[in-house]
Amino acid sequence: MKSRLTPAICVFWMIQPWLLAGLLVGLLRWLMPGSALSDNPGALLLLAGALAMVLSIWLGLRLSRGLAHLAQASHALAQGRVEQRAPSDLSAPLHAVAEQLNQLARTMGQTQEHHNRLMQQSTTRLKAEHTRLQTLNNEMRAALLQTQAAAESQSALFANLSHELRTPLTGILGYADLLRRSALDPEQEQYLDTLDKSARGLLTMINDLLDWSRIESGRLRLNEERFDIHEVVENVTTLLAPLAYQKDLELVRIVYHDVPRWLSGDAQRLRQILTNLLSNAIKFTEVGEVVVRIMQGDADERHVWLDFSVQDTGVGISEAVQARLFQPFQQAGHSQGGSGLGLSISRRLAEMMGGEITLQSEPKKGSIFKARLPFRSAGRADDPPPDWRMRGSKVWLLEPHPTARLALTHWLSFWGVEVISFDSPQGLAERLEIAQGLPTLVIVGFHTDEIESLHPVLKRCGDRKPPLLALVASASLDIQLRLRALGAAACVPKSIDHQALLQVLVDLSTQTASQRPLARRRALIADNNLSNLRYLALLAVELGLEVLEARDGEQALALYREHRVEFVLLDARMPRLDGPGCARAIRESATEGSQPRIVAISAHLEPDERRAFLDAGADQILLKPFDERQLLNALLPAPARQATPSSRLLGKDPEMLSLLREELPLQRAELDSAFAADALDVARDAAHQLRGTAAFYHLGHLREATNALEERLRLVAATDDARPECEAVHRAIATALTEIDARLAELAD
Ligand code: ADP
């Protein structure tokens, strides 16, 4: 309606001055008829034009003022000043526009007010939310601090508890070890084994818990040291090999030759990771193989990345379980005890080192655990070059297991040996039969149940031509003895470390049958501990002796009376008739011209016991542990040794003192390197050796210190825990060396 009116208003507005002017002229003619003006249409037109102009100007001015007001009002509106209004006294058409504008301003004002109200409400709500979040944040921070404090006190509690638990446990282990040295029947031995196994399992669990709490509380620190990667891997595999062999599993270790030998990093933690992965692989595999591989991954200017993989053909792990396996205390359905912490610890250690552990597995097919870890290369210019002592020699290798064959061929080629491999005994036996030139050595690797199939090969290698080295997947000394009796020149476990293997190869390739020093002579060995007995028998066979075995003194005496052997090796403590008693009885029963050589054997003898043994007729006392060479020296003493003065006089013999002066630092170095490598068994042996030396030379302090160290090493799980005792041994050695130097100086004067 308004829009239709607007053009009419405009037209009216335009003609309005003319209408007014016309009206005015009409008015003048009516008021003044006959006047000159009313009769003059030109003047009238002029007047009307002038009036219309004046009116137009006046109207124009009014209009523009009104428009300016409207423009001002709309400008204010555009800027959001909704309170400003257009004036209401404008002329009609502008008044309508002003009204519209004012209406718009009012509506906008209301909308703005509504928005402001909404904004205010939102701001209030946001402020409340912010305050709530802040409070929550503060509460969470307080809770976190509380949790941290709780975790710290929990880890301290763990540490204390673990210590408290470890002390009695190591006591149990120590007493079990002491018990083992006494005469036990097979049933008691079995009980003792179970007790020992349970206590060791518990100790491992406690150590795991302690490690985990150290990791969780951030107290576990990594060390950096230079180490030999072969040594670490071989330590771990050698230690766990008996477990694999017990289950008839093939355990293969492959370290590829591009892996740098000397590295810098935390060797102890690497050992821990590998031990966990490997022991799990053996634990959860019943048939087949476990393969440990080490390959070089990427290398940048700072790191050498190594890829470790432990692959088994065991039960495997389903995908659902894999997802949570690295969480603490998680086990798959097939767990066999254990803390459920091993994998979590391993993964966290790997992450702390900057690496990772991943898993591929399929149920019933097996698993591959892979650890990718960074180390620093630590080779030095003075590192020993490759050992070429076997270079150019020819080895025929029989190893039915392809991965084990590959691993062995790898090493042999590295040493410059020419290898021809066979995968069946028949193939090798035929080749031995028809070959023109024989190899330097024959190496056969096999499982215990395959011995029968080896007979043809062993027969061809009779009389040690060529010498046959047997690598057995068995910890059993019986098997080793059987193989030696069948003609193998040497027999070593498959897990043997590469240095020792090389040494065996060198020895075999340079030694011939006629060099066996006690060939075709007979010995009687008596020891109530079966494993000691087997070990002794093996050493004796190694020297060429034919061996009779006895488990107690009475049996030994009976065997001697029957066979009249040339050598007798007697353990000191035996049931029914002890070592000295047996020695005396043998001396009495032997005729003047056929007295045997009697060697007493013991891990430790007090001076009184030593004297009792010698008085009973023993020719020499040999302290365990000893090797083939020491046994030979005891059985066939060199003339100088025969004239060895009694130990009481040793202190006055400059030659013996000089020998001791040289020996002590060597034995100390052995002990130190065992500690550095955290090799408990080696450390125990080294301590034992030192104790023997100390006892022999009447070094009271040193004997006490080594005694304490040896006892301690039996109880602890890591050499580090026996550091104080080791330091005491160091001090005792230092004192002994000073005394020896003083004594030598005195004797020189
Ligand atoms: P545990 O002390 O129980 O062995 P781990 O953390 O080392 O703790 O292992 C956790 C679980 O993972 C084991 O109990 C076992 O169920 C599973 N597992 C680990 N390694 C293997 C493997 N090689 N094959 C099959 N299952 C495995």
Side-chain angles (χ1 to χ4, degrees):
M1 158 97 159
K2 271 181 189 165
S3 58
R4 252 183 280 138
L5 267 179
T6 312
I9 291 171
C10 288
V11 171
F12 167 77
W13 199 254
M14 278 159 61
I15 59 169
Q16 176 184 292
W18 296 102
L19 285 176
L20 273 174
L23 208 67
L24 211 58
V25 171
L27 197 66
L28 275 175
R29 289 185 80 171
W30 182 64
L31 287 175
M32 295 179 283
S35 72
L37 194 60
S38 57
D39 293 337
N40 190 345
L44 268 176
L45 207 64
L46 210 66
L47 184 66
L51 272 172
M53 200 168 351
V54 168
L55 264 170
S56 287
I57 290 169
W58 176 75
L59 280 173
L61 281 176
R62 224 176 133 205
L63 190 65
S64 70
R65 208 176 57 244
L67 282 173
H69 280 305
L70 285 180
Q72 211 175 2
S74 66
H75 183 70
L77 209 58
Q79 285 190 332
R81 282 183 277 125
V82 290
E83 68 288 351
Q84 185 145 347
R85 297 280 181 274
S88 51
D89 55 348
L90 297 180
S91 52
L94 293 188
H95 179 75
V97 177
E99 272 305 296
Q100 292 281 338
L101 263 181
N102 287 345
Q103 182 56 38
L104 185 66
R106 269 192 298 280
T107 317
M108 275 179 71
Q110 280 163 358
T111 317
Q112 209 175 45
E113 210 172 297
H114 181 66
H115 272 185
N116 283 350
R117 238 192 342 270
L118 279 182
M119 285 275 286
Q120 229 164 15
Q121 279 171 359
S122 307
T123 316
T124 320
R125 260 207 305 274
L126 273 176
K127 260 190 200 155
E129 197 63 18
H130 177 75
T131 321
R132 202 174 69 84
L133 277 177
Q134 232 171 8
T135 320
L136 254 177
N137 210 356
N138 289 343
E139 278 172 6
M140 269 171 63
R141 199 169 300 141
L144 189 72
L145 285 176
Q146 242 174 11
T147 318
Q148 267 172 354
E152 265 165 39
S153 61
Q154 191 193 39
S155 98
L157 181 78
F158 253 143
N160 283 341
L161 207 67
S162 305
H163 182 73
E164 295 300 322
L165 285 171
R166 273 207 294 185
T167 314
L169 255 181
T170 44
I172 292 174
L173 284 170
Y175 279 111
D177 201 42
L178 283 177
L179 259 182
R180 200 181 293 285
R181 293 189 220 174
S182 57
L184 297 174
D185 61 36
E187 205 176 344
Q188 286 169 324
E189 264 179 28
Q190 209 182 341
Y191 292 154
L192 201 59
D193 278 348
T194 314
L195 181 121
D196 192 82
K197 223 162 139 188
S198 316
R200 277 182 204 284
L202 209 52
L203 198 60
T204 313
M205 226 183 245
I206 291 169
N207 286 340
D208 277 357
L209 277 171
L210 194 62
D211 267 345
W212 182 249
S213 83
R214 275 199 203 122
I215 291 176
E216 282 292 273
S217 62
R219 283 187 300 121
L220 192 126
R221 299 266 171 273
L222 295 179
N223 292 323
E224 176 107 17
E225 60 177 316
R226 184 174 186 264
F227 66 93
D228 177 349
I229 185 72
H230 291 290
E231 199 183 301
V232 169
V233 177
E234 284 170 357
N235 273 351
V236 173
T237 45
T238 312
L239 201 73
L240 295 173
L243 295 180
Y245 297 159
Q246 268 167 22
K247 297 170 101 177
D248 255 338
L249 299 175
E250 189 71 47
L251 173 63
V252 187
R253 165 186 70 212
I254 309 178
V255 182
Y256 286 85
H257 288 309
D258 56 350
V259 172
R261 179 167 174 188
W262 293 102
L263 296 166
S264 177
D266 196 328
Q268 199 188 332
R269 296 299 170 188
L270 169 63
R271 208 175 275 127
Q272 189 174 354
I273 294 174
L274 291 179
T275 304
N276 177 249
L277 299 184
L278 185 57
S279 66
N280 275 346
I282 297 173
K283 204 160 38 164
F284 299 109
T285 305
E286 293 310 318
V287 187
E289 61 181 40
V290 174
V291 183
V292 182
R293 281 192 186 80
I294 293 105
M295 283 179 267
Q296 185 174 343
D298 307 332
D300 50 46
E301 58 290 355
R302 295 193 61 226
H303 292 115
V304 178
W305 286 84
L306 293 192
D307 292 327
F308 299 83
S309 78
V310 179
Q311 180 173 11
D312 64 57
T313 50
V315 290
I317 305 161
S318 71
E319 240 172 80
V321 176
Q322 284 179 37
R324 59 175 165 81
L325 210 54
F326 289 93
Q327 303 295 323
F329 310 109
Q330 294 292 332
Q331 293 175 321
H334 50 256
S335 101
Q336 297 183 8
S339 63
L341 275 175
L343 287 177
S344 322
I345 293 176
S346 299
R347 176 171 271 187
R348 292 288 287 271
L349 287 177
E351 285 167 357
M352 283 173 75
M353 288 177 173
E356 58 175 5
I357 295 187
T358 51
L359 159 68
Q360 288 165 13
S361 186
E362 213 179 306
K364 300 208 180 90
K365 296 227 167 119
S367 316
I368 311 180
F369 282 85
K370 289 186 180 169
R372 216 176 143 260
L373 302 172
F375 296 94
R376 261 185 272 279
S377 181
R380 290 187 194 141
D382 58 352
D383 285 338
D387 195 325
W388 289 126
R389 281 178 294 165
M390 284 299 287
R391 182 150 67 164
S393 45
K394 294 180 175 54
V395 164
W396 289 2
L397 168 67
L398 162 64
E399 173 55 76
H401 192 278
T403 325
R405 191 163 63 237
L406 172 79
L408 203 56
T409 312
H410 226 69
W411 272 117
L412 292 168
S413 317
F414 182 66
W415 293 322
V417 175
E418 288 172 29
V419 191
I420 300 181
S421 332
F422 298 84
D423 55 12
S424 76
Q426 296 75 19
L428 174 59
E430 277 165 25
R431 183 73 181 259
L432 282 165
E433 186 82 64
I434 56 166
Q436 295 295 324
L438 288 176
T440 325
L441 275 175
V442 170
I443 302 180
V444 292
F446 60 96
H447 279 274
T448 43
D449 52 356
E450 296 162 350
I451 290 194
E452 303 307 320
S453 64
L454 281 176
H455 279 205
V457 175
L458 286 158
K459 225 166 93 198
R460 304 271 182 289
C461 295
D463 269 346
R464 298 191 165 209
K465 278 186 209 129
L468 182 141
L469 167 64
L471 299 176
V472 268
S474 162
S476 152
L477 288 167
D478 261 346
I479 301 284
Q480 302 190 26
L481 276 170
R482 231 172 106 196
L483 279 163
R484 298 296 310 274
L486 282 170
C491 190
V492 293
K494 279 189 167 184
S495 58
I496 187 171
D497 66 76
H498 75 281
Q499 294 286 12
L501 176 63
L502 178 63
Q503 191 54 50
V504 173
L505 297 184
V506 171
D507 289 349
L508 283 182
S509 59
T510 51
Q511 166 189 322
T512 62
S514 59
Q515 282 172 316
R516 290 217 270 178
L518 298 175
R520 282 178 285 281
R521 295 164 83 172
R522 285 188 305 164
L524 163 65
I525 305 176
D527 196 323
N528 63 314
N529 181 315
L530 190 61
S531 57
N532 283 351
L533 182 64
R534 289 291 142 82
Y535 177 69
L536 278 171
L538 192 66
L539 288 186
V541 169
E542 204 72 41
L543 297 172
L545 284 166
E546 286 165 19
V547 174
L548 299 171
E549 295 175 2
R551 297 282 309 263
D552 62 52
E554 276 185 10
Q555 200 186 356
L557 184 58
L559 279 173
Y560 177 77
R561 285 186 176 138
E562 193 181 335
H563 298 279
R564 304 281 159 185
V565 296
E566 200 179 335
F567 302 103
V568 178
L569 295 163
L570 293 177
D571 185 31
R573 290 164 210 162
M574 287 188 290
R576 307 219 281 179
L577 182 60
D578 66 3
C582 184
R584 181 167 295 110
I586 287 176
R587 285 273 175 251
E588 282 164 8
S589 89
T591 52
E592 189 57 40
S594 64
Q595 283 289 345
R597 180 161 177 81
I598 300 180
V599 175
I601 290 164
S602 172
H604 173 68
L605 281 181
E606 292 301 327
D608 292 352
E609 295 173 297
R610 175 185 289 270
R611 209 168 310 118
F613 228 139
L614 293 171
D615 290 348
D619 293 294
Q620 182 154 357
I621 288 166
L622 190 58
L623 285 179
K624 292 181 212 168
F626 47 82
D627 59 19
E628 207 176 302
R629 185 183 49 82
Q630 288 163 313
L631 178 62
L632 178 64
N633 283 345
L635 293 174
L636 274 191
R641 286 236 168 231
Q642 256 172 341
T644 298
S646 93
S647 50
R648 279 177 197 291
L649 300 176
L650 285 177
K652 296 199 177 105
D653 183 335
E655 200 183 322
M656 294 307 282
L657 279 173
S658 310
L659 227 126
L660 180 62
R661 182 72 187 79
E662 280 171 24
E663 189 67 19
L664 275 181
L666 290 179
Q667 292 187 5
R668 179 177 57 193
E670 260 173 47
L671 183 70
D672 288 348
S673 61
F675 264 74
D678 193 24
L680 256 184
D681 284 345
V682 186
R684 256 183 238 134
D685 287 350
H688 188 83
Q689 197 87 24
L690 261 169
R691 189 171 70 160
T693 309
F696 191 66
Y697 285 89
H698 286 276
L699 300 168
H701 279 320
L702 182 58
R703 206 186 62 192
E704 272 166 32
T706 43
N707 204 9
L709 174 62
E710 209 185 333
E711 292 296 315
R712 181 82 187 135
L713 283 170
R714 275 209 192 90
L715 304 181
V716 294
T719 47
D720 248 0
D721 294 336
R723 275 271 172 225
E725 286 78 8
C726 181
E727 276 156 20
V729 168
H730 266 250
R731 285 194 294 278
I733 291 177
T735 316
L737 289 175
T738 321
E739 277 175 16
I740 295 167
D741 286 342
R743 192 81 62 88
L744 279 171
E746 264 172 40
L747 291 170
D749 286 343

